[in-house]
Amino acid sequence: MVPPTFPEDVPALQRELERLRAELREERQGHDQMSSGFQHERLVWKEEKEKVIQYQKQLQQSYVAMYQRNQRLEKALQQLARGDSAGEPLEVDLEGADIPYEDIIATEI
């Protein structure tokens, strides 16, 4: 059984209803702001991730070039030690690696 409402209760109930509606609006605004903030953070993290991957690719390319250069120098030193180049000029290519940047595969984060 529903208790009877008194006319003096109606304004109090309306005030309570308006207070609850205002609280709900504030909560929704807070949620929207938080959601927007998270979306912004995701975008920032994605951009930073791409920068790190590009840096990893460049670093890996540099390491490969250094390794290949060291291999050529080791070969030249071995030729000198064996005396293979008696009178012949050594062929030492000190140029960088010819690996295209796009072919370097970096670890994804």
Side-chain angles (χ1 to χ4, degrees):
M1 189 162 184
V2 176
T5 59
F6 299 100
E8 59 270 0
D9 288 347
V10 173
L13 290 174
Q14 286 177 337
R15 284 192 302 274
E16 180 68 13
L17 180 62
E18 286 304 313
R19 186 189 67 78
L20 290 172
R21 285 182 178 159
E23 188 177 329
L24 180 60
R25 272 193 303 274
E26 288 175 18
E27 288 295 324
R28 284 183 178 158
Q29 287 173 349
H31 176 267
D32 290 345
Q33 288 174 350
M34 192 182 317
S35 179
S36 175
F38 284 145
Q39 196 66 8
H40 176 71
E41 283 297 316
R42 278 188 212 106
L43 180 62
V44 169
W45 277 102
K46 183 179 179 183
E47 290 171 357
E48 291 298 318
K49 175 184 165 183
E50 291 301 317
K51 288 178 186 177
V52 168
I53 289 173
Q54 294 302 320
Y55 174 74
Q56 286 178 331
K57 286 180 180 182
Q58 290 172 346
L59 190 60
Q60 188 173 4
Q61 186 178 23
S62 175
Y63 283 148
V64 168
M66 186 184 320
Y67 173 78
Q68 291 176 342
R69 192 168 29 249
N70 285 341
Q71 292 296 99
R72 288 190 299 270
L73 287 172
E74 285 289 331
K75 185 177 178 182
L77 284 174
Q78 288 173 1
Q79 286 177 351
L80 284 173
R82 287 192 310 256
D84 288 351
S85 62
E88 293 180 26
L90 283 177
E91 291 185 29
V92 179
D93 180 20
L94 297 178
E95 292 297 317
D98 292 334
I99 300 172
Y101 176 73
E102 292 78 23
D103 292 345
I104 302 295
I105 299 172
T107 306
E108 287 227 17
I109 298 174

